Amino acid sequence: MNHVECHGLHLDPKTRDDTRRRLLSIKGHVEGVLRMLDDETVYCVDALKQIKAVNGALDKVGALVLRSHLRDHVVTAQERGDVDEIVDELMEVLKYR
Amino acid sequence: MNHVECHGLHLDPKTRDDTRRRLLSIKGHVEGVLRMLDDETVYCVDALKQIKAVNGALDKVGALVLRSHLRDHVVTAQERGDVDEIVDELMEVLKYR
Amino acid sequence: MNHVECHGLHLDPKTRDDTRRRLLSIKGHVEGVLRMLDDETVYCVDALKQIKAVNGALDKVGALVLRSHLRDHVVTAQERGDVDEIVDELMEVLKYR
Amino acid sequence: MNHVECHGLHLDPKTRDDTRRRLLSIKGHVEGVLRMLDDETVYCVDALKQIKAVNGALDKVGALVLRSHLRDHVVTAQERGDVDEIVDELMEVLKYR
């Protein structure tokens, strides 16, 4: 059993709802880019702009979840006694990209 | 009429197919994250990792489209006579993120 | 008086030394790029690669300081009672770039 | 002899001067961060902000050199006949970071 299961470090309900809503919108955006690519006269840079826009939207969802994690779980790690695990996994996820 | 319409700077068919295939897979990935968020015990860092993975997959599609654009349209800009437009829009799309 | 002055949230000595050592090396690297640019036959892409390499070295120093901050100050914010300040400033500094 | 030596793909003098000037300023900025770290009460987040600011300044120099390279060498690659080399090395340097 790892520290997550022990301590019930769950994404808080409000952030979870917000994240879901934004991901649904991102899914719609990806579908829009797919439709755009059905057009054989699509211009590379227009496709590129849409892909970057989806990236930007995902960054915003990521920031939302990160803030929630910092506020709910990272600032309490000392009290809970799982500092090393919390810091290591956070550094890992932050370096990605 | 802008330089795209004049010169028919289209995404080449093979790259367009490849981009579509990858975006379909990315859409599936986003749906997977949405299902993951239906679980009220989901851990923030697990959600964060998935969001970052989708970003990484989008970066790869972006690189694909960018390479195709460089090879098919940027290296020929001098011959075509639209250097300023091609360079400006490329710098714009590269700085995004 | 802000929360830093109140609580003495200093960079720990070992990390401070390590950061200094790495920044000295980064300064040397920048000087190397400057010398490279004295050569009027320098190739753009070679200059670009060196600039990116300095960026990469700075990212590593940043990660070092961030880990130290997480371990020494963020995980104890709940106990100290400055959660909002700690989270806000961390989100701010993480979003930069 | 590679394509650079063959074709004399040099950084144009104006961009080279501008790049040098900015790198000198960046070197001064790094020295400023070093002095900041002489203070044993320095706050992690303040150090982090300065490191990020240097990264941002380097990104601007990189954009300058990149634009110069696109305008002077990439858009003429078809005419010069080194499309594959130009595209490959550009993709390589763009993916870095």
Side-chain angles (χ1 to χ4, degrees):
Chain A
M1 210 196 264
N2 65 21
H3 73 123
V4 176
E5 293 168 275
C6 290
H7 296 289
L9 302 178
H10 309 145
L11 192 54
D12 86 281
K14 198 186 153 303
T15 307
R16 202 161 56 90
D17 279 356
D18 199 0
T19 303
R20 237 176 347 198
R21 199 163 29 242
R22 283 165 185 261
L23 280 176
L24 269 173
S25 148
I26 284 168
K27 185 187 151 191
H29 200 155
V30 173
E31 288 165 346
V33 189
L34 278 163
R35 276 192 302 277
M36 184 183 178
L37 289 168
D38 284 339
D39 175 6
E40 56 185 31
T41 68
V42 66
Y43 180 42
C44 316
V45 175
D46 292 332
L48 217 41
K49 280 180 190 165
Q50 292 308 313
I51 291 166
K52 300 279 179 171
V54 178
N55 263 331
L58 279 164
D59 283 344
K60 277 190 191 148
V61 187
L64 203 82
V65 176
L66 175 60
R67 175 180 283 275
S68 169
H69 179 55
L70 287 171
R71 191 189 56 222
D72 295 346
H73 308 136
V74 180
V75 299
T76 46
Q78 179 75 37
E79 293 182 335
R80 218 170 35 246
D82 56 4
V83 168
D84 287 348
E85 283 161 296
I86 282 281
V87 170
D88 282 350
E89 73 181 7
L90 191 51
M91 288 304 294
E92 185 63 29
V93 86
L94 286 176
K95 95 172 164 197
Y96 189 80
R97 275 180 76 200
Chain B
M1 209 197 264
N2 65 23
H3 73 124
V4 177
E5 294 168 273
C6 288
H7 296 288
L9 302 178
H10 310 146
L11 191 55
D12 86 281
K14 198 188 153 303
T15 308
R16 200 160 58 89
D17 278 355
D18 197 2
T19 303
R20 240 180 341 202
R21 198 164 30 242
R22 283 166 184 260
L23 280 175
L24 269 173
S25 148
I26 284 168
K27 184 187 151 191
H29 199 155
V30 173
E31 288 165 346
V33 188
L34 278 163
R35 276 192 302 277
M36 185 184 177
L37 289 167
D38 284 338
D39 174 6
E40 55 186 32
T41 68
V42 65
Y43 179 44
C44 314
V45 175
D46 292 332
L48 218 41
K49 279 179 191 166
Q50 292 307 314
I51 291 166
K52 301 276 179 173
V54 178
N55 258 331
L58 278 164
D59 284 344
K60 276 188 193 150
V61 188
L64 203 81
V65 176
L66 175 60
R67 174 180 283 275
S68 168
H69 180 54
L70 287 172
R71 191 189 55 221
D72 295 346
H73 308 136
V74 180
V75 299
T76 47
Q78 179 75 36
E79 292 181 335
R80 217 169 38 243
D82 57 4
V83 168
D84 286 349
E85 285 161 295
I86 282 282
V87 170
D88 283 350
E89 72 181 8
L90 190 52
M91 288 305 294
E92 185 63 29
V93 85
L94 286 176
K95 92 172 166 199
Y96 188 80
R97 274 180 77 200
Chain C
M1 210 197 267
N2 64 23
H3 72 124
V4 178
E5 293 167 274
C6 288
H7 296 290
L9 303 178
H10 309 145
L11 192 53
D12 86 283
K14 198 187 153 302
T15 308
R16 201 159 57 88
D17 279 355
D18 198 1
T19 303
R20 238 179 343 200
R21 199 163 29 242
R22 284 167 184 259
L23 280 175
L24 270 173
S25 148
I26 284 168
K27 184 187 152 193
H29 200 156
V30 173
E31 288 165 346
V33 189
L34 278 163
R35 277 191 302 275
M36 185 184 176
L37 289 166
D38 284 338
D39 174 7
E40 55 186 29
T41 67
V42 66
Y43 179 42
C44 315
V45 174
D46 292 332
L48 217 41
K49 279 180 191 166
Q50 292 307 313
I51 291 166
K52 301 279 177 170
V54 179
N55 262 331
L58 279 163
D59 283 345
K60 276 189 193 150
V61 187
L64 202 83
V65 177
L66 176 60
R67 175 180 283 275
S68 168
H69 180 54
L70 288 171
R71 190 190 56 221
D72 294 346
H73 308 137
V74 180
V75 300
T76 46
Q78 178 75 36
E79 292 180 337
R80 216 170 39 244
D82 57 4
V83 168
D84 286 349
E85 284 161 296
I86 282 282
V87 170
D88 282 351
E89 71 181 7
L90 190 52
M91 288 304 295
E92 187 62 30
V93 86
L94 286 176
K95 94 172 164 199
Y96 188 80
R97 273 182 77 202
Chain D
M1 208 196 265
N2 65 21
H3 73 122
V4 176
E5 293 167 273
C6 289
H7 296 290
L9 303 178
H10 310 146
L11 192 54
D12 85 281
K14 198 186 154 302
T15 307
R16 200 159 58 89
D17 279 354
D18 198 0
T19 302
R20 239 176 346 197
R21 200 165 27 244
R22 284 167 185 259
L23 280 175
L24 269 173
S25 148
I26 284 168
K27 185 188 151 192
H29 200 155
V30 173
E31 288 165 346
V33 188
L34 278 163
R35 277 192 301 276
M36 184 183 178
L37 290 167
D38 284 339
D39 175 7
E40 57 186 28
T41 68
V42 66
Y43 179 43
C44 316
V45 174
D46 292 332
L48 218 40
K49 279 180 190 165
Q50 292 307 312
I51 290 165
K52 301 277 177 172
V54 178
N55 258 332
L58 279 165
D59 284 344
K60 276 189 193 150
V61 187
L64 203 81
V65 176
L66 175 61
R67 174 180 283 275
S68 170
H69 180 55
L70 288 172
R71 191 191 54 221
D72 295 345
H73 309 136
V74 181
V75 300
T76 46
Q78 178 75 38
E79 292 180 336
R80 218 170 36 245
D82 58 3
V83 169
D84 287 349
E85 284 160 296
I86 282 282
V87 170
D88 282 351
E89 74 182 4
L90 190 52
M91 287 305 295
E92 186 62 30
V93 86
L94 286 175
K95 93 174 165 197
Y96 189 80
R97 278 181 73 200

